Amino acid sequence: MEPLAVKLRPKKIKDIIGQEHLVGKDKILYNLVKNKKIFSMILYGKPGIGKTTIAISIVEELNLKYRMLNATINNKKDFDTVVEEAKMYGELVVIMDEIHRLNKDKQDLLLPYLESGLIILIGLTTANPYHSINPAIRSRCQIFELKELTSDNIKKALNRAIKNELTDIKIDKNSIEYISEISSGDLRYAYNLLEVAYYSSNKKVTIENLKSISNKPNLFHDKNGDGYYDVISAFQKSIRGSDVDAALHYLARLLEAEDLDIILRRMTVIAYEDIGLANPIMGVKVDACVHACERLGLPEAQIPLAQTVIELALSPKSNSAYMALCDAINDINKGNTGNVPNHLKTTSPDYKYAHNYPNHIVKQQYLPDNLVGKRYYKPGKNNNELKLKEINEKIKKVID
């Protein structure tokens, strides 16, 4: 039996709920269908807001041959089959879910056919394509962001489901309101909750019945989605901004998702990216917290987490080490490298072994000729780095 979300999937652009900025009258996708034209595109946004629905509606309404693939599940042989079908039909639309997970072999297979127009790609992703999709694929596609559905959008969809499919359901406005609020803009979640409630309550749905099925808001929709990563981003930015209360708020939201691993990994990043040399002992403290949390598990791990997050938020901050490396990497990417000085090469007899000299320092060129005098590390103005700055200046006077 098909799920309610599949049964109710619109077949025409005009029947899609929400996304008026793309499918509303005289908007871009509406006009593409109206003019019977399609280009390769990427649709991105949170789960349950209409990416697959829009893709299928476009190809169905234009009566185009299409195949659906998943970048993770389908193997290279499946992709080969799709290419052969495209050659047979002269053109084929490929709707590809989780396109941000497309590996290099599959990309290399598709690229020439995207270039020639034999395959028209509609990629679907919950991840931001500007960060997660290979530029070679991205440059061949138009990118459209879907917006989160509103509570009114969800209620409209639920009322349509009741009218067209669950015609004998008994449900009041308060219950519909509850579903629309708890689904947090995820229409598929809303449909699923309504359907489970319908069949588990003898077709009489109440708020009490709904709460017995799900009483937690659908906070993140999907752990691959932007909504989830927005909270992780806010967690780090609140610590970076030294707002201890906001940091604890976002920690609580992540703990509600029961994703201990992402919290520990992000805290480790924060200790080195944002706290850095201003308070280097925080790296050790976070590592101790990681071990404690792994030993304790949830919910007890909340205790060391709260303590460490508070200390991270209130710690002095410095990103000087991170920025120094970024500056060095930027030089590499611009081709600003130069040859390794001859006396530093593996077999050189002219290398001066620093440990043979006073204070283990000797005058000697280390950077390539074209980078002599380059300063990547710019100390922050905190107590620890002022000491490092003093040491660095003394060393430079000797080696430069």
Side-chain angles (χ1 to χ4, degrees), residues 123-194:
L124 314 176
T125 178
T126 54
N128 189 324
Y130 297 102
H131 300 156
S132 60
I133 293 178
N134 184 291
I137 294 286
R138 199 172 64 225
S139 68
R140 290 164 173 80
C141 299
Q142 299 300 311
I143 297 175
F144 302 114
E145 180 180 6
L146 276 66
K147 295 181 179 178
E148 193 166 345
L149 297 178
T150 65
S151 180
D152 286 341
N153 291 147
I154 301 292
K155 284 186 279 189
K156 179 180 178 181
L158 291 172
N159 284 317
R160 182 187 290 181
I162 291 164
K163 179 181 178 182
N164 296 333
E165 288 292 334
L166 307 179
T167 54
D168 56 349
I169 192 174
K170 292 181 176 61
I171 185 170
D172 60 25
K173 288 183 179 179
N174 289 337
S175 296
I176 293 173
E177 182 79 31
Y178 178 81
I179 296 173
S180 69
E181 292 299 328
I182 201 171
S183 62
S184 301
D186 185 335
L187 182 54
R188 183 166 51 239
Y189 181 93
Y191 279 149
N192 290 342
L193 180 54
L194 178 65

Side-chain angles (χ1 to χ4, degrees), residues 206-341:
T206 64
I207 288 181
E208 288 69 29
N209 173 239
L210 291 165
K211 285 183 176 179
S212 71
I213 300 166
S214 177
N215 62 4
K216 279 188 178 182
N218 184 26
L219 288 173
F220 304 117
H221 312 273
D222 182 319
K223 287 186 179 178
N224 292 319
D226 273 358
Y228 178 65
Y229 284 100
D230 285 345
V231 175
I232 297 168
S233 174
F235 176 59
Q236 179 165 0
K237 288 170 182 171
S238 297
I239 293 175
R240 180 185 296 151
S242 301
D243 190 326
V244 66
D245 299 300
L248 288 167
H249 169 78
Y250 293 115
L251 172 64
R253 288 173 68 166
L254 291 168
L255 284 169
E256 281 298 295
E258 298 184 349
D259 194 343
L260 183 58
D261 185 59
I262 191 65
I263 297 170
L264 299 178
R265 283 192 286 117
R266 189 51 62 109
M267 284 170 54
T268 302
V269 170
I270 291 166
Y272 292 96
E273 179 184 346
D274 297 306
I275 310 301
L277 291 168
N279 187 8
I281 195 64
M282 280 311 304
V284 178
K285 290 186 174 183
V286 168
D287 196 45
C289 178
V290 169
H291 286 297
C293 290
E294 289 174 344
R295 191 175 300 120
L296 292 170
L298 290 171
E300 288 85 354
Q302 295 177 10
I303 301 165
L305 281 173
Q307 177 178 321
T308 308
V309 165
I310 289 169
E311 196 167 357
L312 284 167
L314 299 179
S315 171
K317 309 293 192 299
S318 173
N319 69 344
S320 60
Y322 173 63
M323 295 308 295
L325 181 60
C326 288
D327 193 12
I329 290 171
N330 188 45
D331 266 349
I332 304 303
N333 290 335
K334 290 190 298 186
N336 194 14
T337 53
N339 294 322
V340 173

